[in-house]
Amino acid sequence: MNSINIGIDSQDRQDIAAGLNQLLADSYSLYLKTHSFHWNVTGPMFNTLHLMFETQYTELALAVDVIAERVRALGERALGSYSAYAKRTEISEDNGVTDANEMLKQLLEGQEIVIRNARKLYPLVEKANDEATADLLTQRIQQHEKTAWMLRSMLA
């Protein structure tokens, strides 16, 4: 492969890609959990939550592709296995949750984990003048903060 000369130091590219792989692991784990809750939600709010969870997992499915492609643009390998994601994420798997409010609480917690981990990457991205990754992070944080607000509103 040709060397990468995009104005970002090699070590910074590797460190940023590692942070993006963390974001990828978190996002994919949250995608899986949200999709499972979409399938398994029951109760009086079934239709509302079923549709809301579908919107959320669809958005996450698109996001993981954008994140992985940014990792590749930086010259690193994007994570691509459940075991790799499980080793990196703090987001717990769906272990048979059936209560709709508990689903909302767990998804809110997952959204906040993604937000915090994405935010941790900013100092390195700014130091490296990596505007493309900064833009990606800004968009991801905006989306996750909006989704967290909606989940919080459902719990109020």
Side-chain angles (χ1 to χ4, degrees):
M1 184 166 159
N2 294 331
S3 66
I4 297 173
N5 184 9
I6 59 173
I8 301 172
D9 172 84
S10 176
Q11 187 60 56
D12 287 344
R13 279 190 299 100
Q14 290 173 20
D15 293 345
I16 292 167
L20 288 171
N21 267 323
Q22 175 67 52
L23 182 60
L24 180 60
D26 291 339
S27 299
Y28 200 89
S29 298
L30 186 57
Y31 160 81
L32 287 173
K33 187 173 209 170
T34 306
H35 210 153
S36 178
F37 287 173
H38 163 79
W39 290 327
N40 292 297
V41 68
T42 60
M45 294 293 293
F46 168 79
N47 196 50
T48 300
L49 294 178
H50 184 74
L51 293 173
M52 184 174 82
F53 294 162
E54 181 177 14
T55 299
Q56 291 173 7
Y57 80 69
T58 300
E59 194 282 326
L60 285 162
L62 297 171
V64 296
D65 196 51
V66 171
I67 297 163
E69 288 176 355
R70 182 67 193 149
V71 172
R72 295 298 299 135
L74 291 169
E76 297 300 316
R77 188 172 196 291
L79 297 177
S81 70
Y82 300 128
S83 61
Y85 298 147
K87 286 179 191 173
R88 286 170 177 79
T89 191
E90 301 167 48
I91 296 172
S92 63
E93 293 182 5
D94 170 21
N95 291 314
V97 173
T98 57
D99 179 74
N101 279 337
E102 183 60 25
M103 289 177 175
L104 291 167
K105 287 176 190 174
Q106 287 191 22
L107 292 178
L108 173 57
E109 179 183 318
Q111 293 287 336
E112 291 178 342
I113 287 169
V114 174
I115 294 164
R116 288 190 306 270
N117 286 338
R119 215 170 238 120
K120 286 179 193 175
L121 191 51
Y122 264 115
L124 175 59
V125 167
E126 288 177 358
K127 177 183 90 62
N129 295 316
D130 182 358
E131 294 85 0
T133 301
D135 183 55
L136 182 152
L137 292 172
T138 299
Q139 290 179 43
R140 295 309 318 140
I141 290 169
Q142 275 184 316
Q143 182 61 48
H144 288 284
E145 286 181 344
K146 181 178 178 181
T147 302
W149 158 63
M150 291 180 179
L151 291 165
R152 251 185 245 103
S153 294
M154 294 290 293
L155 288 165

